[in-house]
Amino acid sequence: MATMTQPFRAPNEYAFAAFLDALAVPWKYEALEGDISRAIRYQPDFWLPDSLAWLEVKPTGHAPTPGEIRGAWQLGEATGRPVYICAGWPEPRLLTLAVTVFSKQPGTQVAMGKLALRWLALLVNRPLPDVLAAGRVVMIRRLEFVRTWQGGRE
């Protein structure tokens, strides 16, 4: 559960945790073991144990940097699990979500807009209408998450 005591590094991470909570999707924040994280110099935001996948969240419009791409590939190689980088927000009216998936099979894939929303629904194993509803609810509360995150950092 997303709480004020959770040491999120960015408000979008806090909001995405609330989104996962709204869908009752179990998650762990920065759960990668320290020795692997140090070796590849990459720490994804979330581990989704029910999906057996890593999730990194980024602001709208963020394209994965070469370092993030390298880290995602190395993480996938080290753990044998796919890495999802979600940039934007799962809100149907905005259609700003972009999802990049790094996995051995079938390799790197990118989706945007409605297709990215469908991918996210598959990742969390929830019906698309539920994902969209949770996205809308959390989107409405995004300023609250920013204030909470800022308050927790003071």
Side-chain angles (χ1 to χ4, degrees), residues 85-152:
I85 298 180
C86 293
W89 191 251
E91 211 286 328
R93 290 175 291 158
L94 300 178
L95 291 179
T96 60
L97 185 67
V99 177
T100 306
V101 182
F102 300 90
S103 64
K104 288 183 179 181
Q105 297 293 331
T108 303
Q109 298 182 26
V110 179
M112 299 177 74
K114 291 180 182 179
L115 181 58
L117 291 168
R118 288 188 186 103
W119 282 14
L120 184 59
L122 289 171
L123 171 65
V124 297
N125 195 28
R126 299 295 186 271
L128 182 59
D130 293 355
V131 169
L132 299 176
R136 278 192 294 272
V137 167
V138 175
M139 181 75 171
I140 290 168
R141 298 178 56 205
R142 71 183 183 273
L143 292 178
E144 173 190 336
F145 294 120
V146 170
R147 284 192 296 273
T148 300
W149 176 78
Q150 289 171 334

Side-chain angles (χ1 to χ4, degrees), residues 29-34 36-37 40 42-44 47 54 75 79:
Y29 184 70
E30 294 191 346
L32 185 60
E33 294 176 16
I36 296 174
S37 179
I40 63 176
Y42 185 72
Q43 177 65 262
W47 167 246
W54 300 100
L75 176 59
T79 64

